[in-house]
């Protein structure tokens, strides 16, 4: 494997899997990956200094994503997981053209949610950047029957502040969900990795409605790509290193979310 400029990327099995998000939400993907790949080393980078990505332009998100990937490659990453729907939409295709190592992205779980659609609606929650992206538009063209796409500007910031319950987020969600309270909602798509940490409070507004995210499918794809490249770790102990552009306070939040 080579990087732009001819620099060599480590491809031995002991190299870490690099994973990044615009903030701390990607920890939800990391937890699933650690569960399914206990022998792997993981290096997670939360770009909390520049969060949120969901309200930035595609060009801004692409630039920030490339900077983070360069850092992860400098640390010897053997594969990259973009644990952010917005960054996947804005940057995944360009990153795959630029680098030859496995790069796995996220996508809102419209496909599995579509299997639950009958005569009601599927409510898809995501950042404005994700909903405006080409990837989401493509998924919607395939699996969008009955789907209502609901942008949620500001919602991920509650997770960044570890504010997963309380009057402020309840007031936010009350306003967000008020148009749907009398509708037949058959499934809710958690189209941002941050929203996975809000399962409990979202479910309190929609009892018995399935909440679907793409984390498990993303990790399955990571395993497939590592197998294809012969990069799966098959011995030794796994590990997790958490790094944030926002400093020690953000890293403490990430450690807390790993235990949540």
């Amino acid at each position: 494997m080579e990087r732009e400029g001819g620099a060599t990327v480590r491809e031995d099995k002991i190299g870490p899997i690099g994973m990044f998000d615009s903030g701390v939400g990607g920890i939800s993907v990391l937890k699933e990956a650690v569960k399914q790949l206990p022998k792997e080393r993981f290096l997670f980078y939360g770009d909390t200094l520049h969060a949120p990505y969901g309200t930035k332009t595609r060009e801004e998100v692409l630039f920030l994503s490339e900077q983070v990937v360069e850092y992860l490659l400098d640390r010897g990453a053997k594969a990259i997981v973009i644990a952010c729907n917005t960054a996947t939409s804005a940057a995944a295709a360009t990153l795959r053209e630029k680098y030859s190592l496995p790069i796995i992205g996220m996508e809102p779980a419209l496909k599995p949610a579509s299997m639950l659609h009958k005569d009601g609606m599927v409510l898809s929650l995501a950042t404005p950047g994700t909903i405006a992206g080409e990837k989401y538009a493509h998924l919607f063209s395939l699996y969008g029957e009955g789907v209502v796409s609901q942008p949620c500007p500001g919602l991920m910031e509650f997770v960044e502040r570890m504010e997963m319950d309380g009057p402020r987020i309840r007031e936010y969600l009350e306003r967000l969900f008020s148009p749907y309270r009398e509708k037949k909602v058959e499934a809710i798509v958690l189209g941002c990795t941050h929203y996975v940490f809000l399962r409990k409070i979202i479910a309190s507004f929609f009892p018995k409605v399935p909440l679907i995210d793409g984390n498990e499918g993303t990790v399955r794809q990571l395993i497939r790509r590592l197998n294809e490249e012969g990069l799966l770790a098959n011995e030794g102990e796994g590990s997790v290193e958490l790094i944030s552009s926002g400093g020690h306070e953000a890293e403490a939040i990430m450690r807390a979310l790993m235990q949540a």
Side-chain angles (χ1 to χ4, degrees):
M1 301 179 192
E2 290 189 351
R3 289 169 55 187
E4 189 177 61
T8 301
V9 177
R10 284 177 61 186
E11 60 178 3
D12 57 304
K13 294 183 180 181
I14 64 171
I17 296 168
M19 188 177 294
F20 76 95
D21 182 25
S22 60
V24 303
I27 294 292
S28 64
V29 187
L30 175 62
K31 291 174 70 171
E32 181 66 29
V34 169
K35 183 171 69 175
Q36 294 195 40
L37 293 166
K39 295 181 180 179
E40 294 287 352
R41 295 167 55 214
F42 292 93
L43 176 60
F44 182 91
Y45 189 98
D47 193 13
T48 52
L49 184 65
H50 301 107
Y53 281 9
T55 53
K56 288 180 167 56
T57 66
R58 179 188 179 278
E59 290 72 23
E60 289 172 322
V61 175
L62 176 58
F63 173 78
L64 292 168
S65 298
E66 288 179 321
Q67 297 295 108
V68 175
V69 169
E70 283 290 331
Y71 171 80
L72 294 172
L73 293 178
D74 286 341
R75 292 288 307 274
K78 64 181 180 181
I80 300 291
V81 178
I82 309 172
C84 173
N85 286 275
T86 300
T88 297
S89 181
T94 300
L95 293 173
R96 289 177 182 134
E97 290 175 359
K98 188 173 182 179
Y99 306 109
S100 58
L101 79 171
I103 296 178
I104 292 84
M106 300 289 302
E107 63 179 37
L110 295 186
K111 181 178 180 180
S114 71
M115 299 176 187
L116 300 175
H117 172 58
K118 295 177 182 177
D119 56 354
M121 61 180 286
V122 172
L123 183 58
S124 177
L125 309 178
T127 68
T130 293
I131 290 174
E134 293 180 6
K135 188 176 186 66
Y136 187 91
H138 176 67
L139 284 170
F140 193 89
S141 71
L142 297 174
Y143 310 110
E145 184 178 355
V147 173
V148 174
S149 302
Q150 175 61 59
C152 306
L155 183 56
M156 67 159 279
E157 284 88 333
F158 285 100
V159 180
E160 295 286 319
R161 298 190 299 265
M162 290 291 286
E163 194 176 346
M164 267 80 84
D165 203 344
R168 290 205 306 171
I169 188 170
R170 286 193 173 275
E171 181 182 352
Y172 177 100
L173 292 175
E174 185 66 49
R175 291 197 305 270
L176 189 76
F177 294 147
S178 60
Y180 311 110
R181 296 300 294 274
E182 304 303 320
K183 307 286 187 181
K184 183 179 180 181
V185 179
E186 296 169 314
I188 296 175
V189 175
L190 304 177
C192 171
T193 54
H194 286 74
Y195 303 169
V196 177
F197 290 107
L198 300 174
R199 275 182 174 276
K200 185 175 180 180
I201 191 169
I202 292 173
S204 72
F205 286 85
F206 296 96
K208 300 181 180 180
V209 174
L211 306 182
I212 303 171
D213 66 74
N215 291 1
E216 187 175 345
T218 297
V219 176
R220 286 199 302 268
Q221 176 64 7
L222 170 63
I223 294 170
R224 281 194 292 269
R225 292 291 290 116
L226 291 175
N227 259 322
E228 289 171 359
E229 299 294 332
L231 293 173
L232 267 176
N234 49 25
E235 59 184 17
E237 293 186 9
S239 64
V240 174
E241 182 178 356
L242 304 174
I243 300 170
S244 171
S245 58
H248 297 307
E249 183 176 348
E251 289 167 7
I253 291 174
M254 291 194 294
R255 287 193 295 271
L257 289 173
M258 280 296 292
Q259 302 302 318

